[in-house]
Amino acid sequence: MMAVIETLETIAAVRAWRASGGWRTVGLVPTMGYLHEGHLALVAEARATCEKVVASIFVNPAQFDREEDLAAYPVDLEQDKRLLAKAGCDALFLPTPATMYPEGFDTWVEPGAVAAEQEGRHRPGHFRGVATVVLKLLNIVQPSHAFFGQKDAQQLAVIRAFVRDLDVATAIVPVATQREADGLARSSRNVRLSPAERQAATVLYRGLRAAEDAFRSGEGRAAALAHAVHAVLDAEPRAQTEYVSVADPDTLRELDTVETRALVSLAVWIGKTRLIDNLILDASEQARDGA
Ligand code: PAF
């Protein structure tokens, strides 16, 4: 018989669930739904680490800088519940906007310099929305561990920074970017791509790999590494590059020279869909995905 996931719709229900067992470790997998292999890798990591695993699905209006992006965000709750149950998730927190942002809500987490460039520069208010909702989820669920994908490398750095600065007692666990066979990073937004755009979208990872190749050949100048990425992106007529960044993976400060490690990240429009991706360059090991 199909497993059915326990769905918790209120904060009180989550607190009661949390108090019902004497679990030492509880893993939280925060999501905005429309789950794919990337999310399921987070659940698998949580399952391997913790006694109990709870996922959340909440399309957080506070982190969308464009109305049309929020309106077009894909939803398939029944499929999500099936996937979570199959992946061995124990419970699902499914709050409404009114639960998360009740009348009179007026307190925000404002991330610092780590959120200023890259995504932060191009999506004003985005990380304030992310940091606020993630802190609320951590406070509601009180997990021992929370799992985030390295595909959103700056989000991960922002969360690590506020967890450190605000003394949150949850271990933040990064999970490697999941990719399609042709390298495209898995994302809920990929469904918006037409077949031709889907083909063109492989340019993101090819661009990142060009930086990796240049780095392996001894290139350490950030401008030259970014140039290698741009050369690949510029050759794809369907791609409109928003930014290419070569930055410190922890502080997200732009680098002049890569001494040891760097996060190469980019945002590219393919038609009406904005995609992001990143790769870590590490002089002490091979380049690898994410932060
Ligand atoms: O990465 C996401 O899906 C979202 O930004 C998160 C962490 C669930 C917060 O809304």
Side-chain angles (χ1 to χ4, degrees), residues 131-197:
T132 303
V133 84
V134 171
L135 182 59
K136 284 175 68 72
L137 290 168
L138 296 177
N139 282 336
I140 293 165
V141 177
Q142 311 240 326
S144 56
H145 299 72
F147 298 79
F148 297 90
Q150 291 175 333
K151 174 170 166 285
D152 296 300
Q154 191 173 17
Q155 167 172 286
L156 187 55
V158 165
I159 292 167
R160 281 174 155 154
F162 84 68
V163 161
R164 179 199 63 211
D165 292 347
L166 302 180
D167 308 304
V168 179
T170 297
I172 301 302
V173 184
V175 178
T177 303
Q178 303 296 304
R179 298 186 180 281
E180 308 273 0
D182 61 8
L184 179 67
R186 294 194 191 258
S187 161
S188 303
R189 291 185 172 86
N190 292 351
V191 291
R192 296 186 198 162
L193 301 169
S194 70
E197 289 172 344

Side-chain angles (χ1 to χ4, degrees), residues 1-17:
M1 213 178 65
M2 267 305 264
V4 175
I5 191 154
E6 182 173 0
T7 302
L8 311 165
E9 294 186 353
T10 63
I11 294 171
V14 176
R15 294 210 197 285
W17 176 83

Side-chain angles (χ1 to χ4, degrees), residues 45 47-48 67 85 90 92 114 148 150 196 203 213 248 260 274 277:
E45 190 66 32
R47 191 65 286 161
E67 282 286 330
D90 298 295
L92 168 64
V114 68
F148 297 90
Q150 291 175 333
V203 76
D213 288 346
D248 179 286
T260 50
R274 184 178 185 275
D277 201 353

Side-chain angles (χ1 to χ4, degrees), residues 100-113:
M100 295 303 276
Y101 301 110
E103 190 68 32
F105 179 91
D106 197 22
T107 303
W108 298 92
V109 179
E110 194 66 66

Side-chain angles (χ1 to χ4, degrees), residues 93-286:
F93 178 37
L94 193 61
T96 61
T99 297
M100 295 303 276
Y101 301 110
E103 190 68 32
F105 179 91
D106 197 22
T107 303
W108 298 92
V109 179
E110 194 66 66
V114 68
E117 298 301 324
Q118 303 93 17
E119 289 298 286
R121 177 170 295 283
H122 292 273
R123 302 188 63 189
H126 171 66
F127 286 122
R128 167 179 131 131
V130 169
T132 303
V133 84
V134 171
L135 182 59
K136 284 175 68 72
L137 290 168
L138 296 177
N139 282 336
I140 293 165
V141 177
Q142 311 240 326
S144 56
H145 299 72
F147 298 79
F148 297 90
Q150 291 175 333
K151 174 170 166 285
D152 296 300
Q154 191 173 17
Q155 167 172 286
L156 187 55
V158 165
I159 292 167
R160 281 174 155 154
F162 84 68
V163 161
R164 179 199 63 211
D165 292 347
L166 302 180
D167 308 304
V168 179
T170 297
I172 301 302
V173 184
V175 178
T177 303
Q178 303 296 304
R179 298 186 180 281
E180 308 273 0
D182 61 8
L184 179 67
R186 294 194 191 258
S187 161
S188 303
R189 291 185 172 86
N190 292 351
V191 291
R192 296 186 198 162
L193 301 169
S194 70
E197 289 172 344
R198 168 65 188 78
Q199 181 56 37
T202 59
V203 76
L204 277 81
Y205 192 53
R206 287 190 280 116
L208 292 169
R209 295 296 296 269
E212 178 187 280
D213 288 346
F215 186 65
R216 282 187 179 152
S217 308
E219 182 58 78
R221 293 167 302 163
L225 294 167
H227 187 267
V229 182
H230 277 291
V232 175
L233 297 176
D234 292 351
E236 171 49 65
R238 291 182 193 273
Q240 287 289 331
T241 305
E242 197 167 87
Y243 69 82
V244 173
S245 157
V246 180
D248 179 286
D250 302 317
T251 64
L252 272 293
R253 246 196 316 265
E254 293 290 335
L255 296 171
D256 290 329
T257 311
V258 183
E259 305 288 354
T260 50
R261 295 173 79 240
L263 175 75
V264 184
S265 61
L266 43 73
V268 176
W269 288 86
I270 305 287
K272 288 193 160 71
T273 306
R274 184 178 185 275
L275 299 175
I276 61 169
D277 201 353
N278 68 83
L279 199 80
I280 288 275
L281 304 177
D282 190 335
S284 69
E285 48 179 270
Q286 296 215 327

Side-chain angles (χ1 to χ4, degrees), residues 4-58:
V4 175
I5 191 154
E6 182 173 0
T7 302
L8 311 165
E9 294 186 353
T10 63
I11 294 171
V14 176
R15 294 210 197 285
W17 176 83
R18 188 70 180 85
S20 67
W23 312 306
R24 225 172 25 83
T25 51
V26 171
L28 171 66
V29 178
T31 82
M32 297 203 300
Y34 210 74
L35 305 181
H36 51 70
E37 292 294 328
H39 299 109
L40 298 181
L42 303 181
V43 175
E45 190 66 32
R47 191 65 286 161
T49 312
C50 299
E51 284 161 70
K52 286 283 166 185
V53 178
V54 53
S56 61
I57 296 180
F58 179 60

